[in-house]
Amino acid sequence: MAGNPLDKKSQGWSALFSEPMDVLVQRYTASVGFDRRLARADIAGSLAHARMLAAQKVIAAQDLADIERGLEQVGEEIDSGRFEWKLELEDVHLNIEARLTQLVGDAGKRLHTGRSRNDQVATDIRLWLRGEIDAIAPLLVQLQKALLDVAAQHTDTVMPGFTHLQVAQPVSFAHHLLAYVEMFARDAERLADVRKRTNRLPLGAAALAGTSYPLDRDAVARELGFEALSENSLDAVSDRDFAIEFAAFASIAMVHVSRLAEEIVLWMSQNFGFIDLADRYCTGSSIMPQKRNPDVAELARGKSGRVIGHLMGLLTLMKGQPLTYNKDNQEDKEPLFDTVDTLAATLRIMAEMVGGIRVKPDAMRAAALKGYATATDLADHLVKEGVPFRDAHEVVAHAVKLALARGVDLAELPLAELRALHPSIGDDARDALTLEGSLNSRAVRGGTAPAQVRAQIERHRRRLG
Ligand code: ARG
């Protein structure tokens, strides 16, 4: 077997270098500690490249057979943990190539024909991210389904809807949860869109300018399942906008999760008491024996911070880079990996936790009654009797004042006293003032009326299959 130049890499890149790389520099520039996560994508990309090289007669059929055999063994060694990763070989690409050459000799040294690590790494990240996108999409579906299952049981469970965190109008708990289903449905749309732009093949761009070998880029794209090519070689090796876009999607999804988590924390506090969480999703306190804390929800809220941070990191990483590839881009991996891990773990546990929510309808109802949530309904009643809305608004303010002074709910004020405020208040005013009357009346598309909400649940269930 001929010598393997990659084995001597720590002594220098080529005959051009007259002294070995400084140890600190070696440690500083190596990425193999984290980019080994791309190994499977790297092997898949190399196989597709080698097959195309053979089909184009750039390498011999025997070389291809050797490369295929060697890469299979490399894959097995990596999967079984036997692979010896070497820091002096810098990154996942050089580690795999060196081992391949050790195993199969010259054929291994031919693999890199017409290719650079610049288009190689861009291809690997895209392949890897596409796989992760396909794993995250069902997690978004699971979370939506968990919300729908709880919602289906609570289309008639009344809670206060809030604006400014002040009691505003009655809504059903189902309606409230469906708001989050809408958010996660849009996140899923965004993810599908990110996938399209991630799923384009950079390979063939080589270092930056393309290559003189007769590569068949379309064949490589087909084999790897890419739906299009990166059409400009300079852009192909240098931009990481697909990763930024993924981080933006993930940040928005985590913000949605964080809002839901925040509400779960609030609802579970004694002051609200709207829900309880199954014990298995709570933690205790080491000092206060009475405590049951919603740590999972708090962490989900907290972890949104790191994902948003990664988005900022990736944007900042890109913004000052002149075309084309710069080593800065090596810094894209850790934030991207952590974004994927954090989002996936959070979506998974949120779906589980939502399934374990125990609703306390009485507390929700009491809170809705306490806040004069049906005041708008009394105003609407007057408007239907011909009173201009602004006048009705004023009359109802007086009614609330009266109810407050008595310490009663609006529906409990005697009809005669309501009439004294405005003669147009009719016999059926009291019905409009009940929580159920209020809920049922909001039957506009997208409104909180139980019939409307049930229809929305059906629509979502059909969509999610
Ligand atoms: N480890 C490198 C990265 O993550 C691979 C590409 C290196 N290319 C180069 N020209 N140094 O970006």
Side-chain angles (χ1 to χ4, degrees):
M1 191 187 296
N4 183 352
L6 284 179
D7 280 345
K8 293 196 232 80
K9 190 177 156 293
S10 57
Q11 271 78 52
W13 285 92
S14 66
L16 188 67
F17 288 74
S18 59
E19 61 172 357
M21 189 189 276
D22 184 278
V23 179
L24 280 180
V25 172
Q26 197 173 83
R27 260 191 253 153
Y28 193 71
T29 55
S31 55
V32 66
F34 49 86
D35 69 10
R36 63 177 74 173
R37 203 168 161 175
L38 299 174
R40 274 286 157 200
D42 195 67
I43 290 173
S46 288
L47 280 173
H49 181 67
R51 286 175 186 145
M52 178 275 295
L53 288 180
Q56 297 298 101
K57 311 252 183 296
V58 178
I59 62 171
Q62 186 55 51
D63 287 328
L64 172 60
D66 291 346
I67 289 170
E68 285 179 326
R69 173 172 53 84
L71 284 178
E72 186 173 327
Q73 177 167 343
V74 170
E76 279 163 17
E77 289 178 4
I78 292 172
D79 289 348
S80 67
R82 275 181 296 126
F83 191 91
E84 205 189 318
W85 297 102
K86 294 184 179 143
L87 189 77
E88 60 274 21
L89 285 171
E90 193 176 310
D91 58 23
V92 62
H93 322 291
L94 296 179
N95 267 270
I96 289 179
E97 195 186 326
R99 178 66 183 141
L100 173 70
T101 300
Q102 227 174 42
L103 290 170
V104 306
D106 282 357
K109 290 189 261 174
R110 298 208 166 94
L111 171 62
H112 212 49
T113 312
R115 185 176 78 169
S116 151
R117 276 188 299 156
N118 297 349
D119 58 344
Q120 185 178 358
V121 71
T123 302
D124 290 4
I125 312 169
R126 285 170 182 268
L127 262 185
W128 176 85
L129 184 59
R130 187 184 70 192
E132 298 298 325
I133 286 173
D134 292 344
I136 286 169
L139 298 177
L140 279 169
V141 172
Q142 263 174 39
L143 179 53
Q144 291 176 73
K145 283 186 169 170
L147 289 163
L148 285 175
D149 286 345
V150 182
Q153 293 166 35
H154 293 286
T155 52
D156 295 282
T157 303
V158 186
M159 68 179 282
F162 299 90
T163 59
H164 314 270
L165 203 57
Q166 308 288 312
V167 172
Q169 290 173 351
V171 296
S172 72
F173 188 54
H175 192 53
H176 195 111
L177 294 181
L178 287 194
Y180 285 101
V181 175
E182 294 285 340
M183 295 179 223
F184 294 124
R186 288 195 298 277
D187 290 331
E189 282 177 29
R190 264 185 285 275
L191 183 61
D193 220 50
V194 174
R195 191 187 192 282
K196 286 186 229 159
R197 280 179 293 277
T198 299
N199 201 23
R200 293 180 189 170
L201 175 76
L203 215 57
L208 73 162
T211 174
S212 56
Y213 296 98
L215 303 191
D216 182 351
R217 297 188 67 203
D218 289 310
V220 177
R222 264 196 309 281
E223 165 145 5
L224 293 174
F226 282 106
E227 55 202 272
L229 304 180
S230 300
E231 293 288 352
N232 176 294
S233 64
L234 307 177
D235 174 50
V237 296
S238 73
D239 206 354
R240 297 290 183 265
D241 59 355
F242 62 96
I244 295 173
E245 218 181 315
F246 177 83
F249 142 78
S251 295
I252 296 173
M254 284 298 290
V255 165
H256 290 152
V257 166
S258 182
R259 297 186 70 189
L260 176 58
E262 163 69 359
E263 298 215 282
I264 289 173
V265 171
L266 281 176
W267 292 338
M268 199 181 140
S269 82
Q270 286 77 5
N271 310 60
F272 278 75
F274 287 3
I275 61 162
D276 207 354
L277 288 176
D279 274 341
R280 62 185 180 282
Y281 300 118
C282 296
T283 55
S285 155
S286 55
I287 179 167
M288 296 168 283
Q290 84 283 13
K291 290 295 288 287
R292 280 172 73 253
N293 298 327
D295 283 31
V296 170
E298 293 166 58
L299 270 175
R301 189 178 57 192
K303 283 176 189 289
S304 62
R306 63 200 273 173
V307 172
I308 293 166
H310 293 325
L311 170 61
M312 296 307 133
L314 289 170
L315 284 166
T316 312
L317 174 68
M318 202 76 245
K319 76 174 275 290
Q321 286 192 52
L323 289 177
T324 59
Y325 176 87
N326 301 279
K327 188 78 164 182
D328 310 43
N329 280 338
Q330 183 163 290
E331 287 290 305
D332 64 355
K333 286 166 203 66
E334 288 162 293
L336 192 59
F337 294 164
D338 189 64
T339 298
V340 163
D341 292 342
T342 305
L343 178 66
T346 303
L347 291 175
R348 196 169 284 129
I349 204 159
M350 284 298 283
E352 295 280 325
M353 193 172 63
V354 162
I357 285 180
R358 287 197 293 265
V359 179
K360 297 177 173 174
D362 293 346
M364 290 184 176
R365 188 177 184 85
L369 286 172
K370 232 190 305 188
Y372 301 102
T374 59
T376 317
D377 297 274
L378 182 57
D380 291 342
H381 170 82
L382 280 166
V383 168
K384 280 173 199 147
E385 301 295 326
V387 180
F389 182 78
R390 285 291 163 219
D391 293 342
H393 189 274
E394 192 55 28
V395 172
V396 177
H398 285 292
V400 171
K401 206 167 158 190
L402 194 65
L404 266 175
R406 299 271 170 82
V408 298
D409 180 53
L410 280 177
E412 291 169 331
L413 285 176
L415 196 56
E417 295 198 24
L418 283 174
R419 282 233 175 85
L421 292 171
H422 201 290
S424 298
I425 292 182
D427 292 345
D428 52 348
R430 302 271 294 280
D431 294 340
L433 289 178
T434 64
L435 296 177
E436 281 70 24
S438 168
L439 221 59
N440 281 318
S441 72
R442 292 185 155 68
V444 66
R445 171 109 172 248
T448 195
Q452 181 57 234
V453 171
R454 276 192 288 272
Q456 301 289 339
I457 291 174
E458 275 321 300
R459 179 175 61 80
H460 285 302
R461 285 200 158 143
R462 276 197 304 276
R463 173 176 62 80
L464 294 170

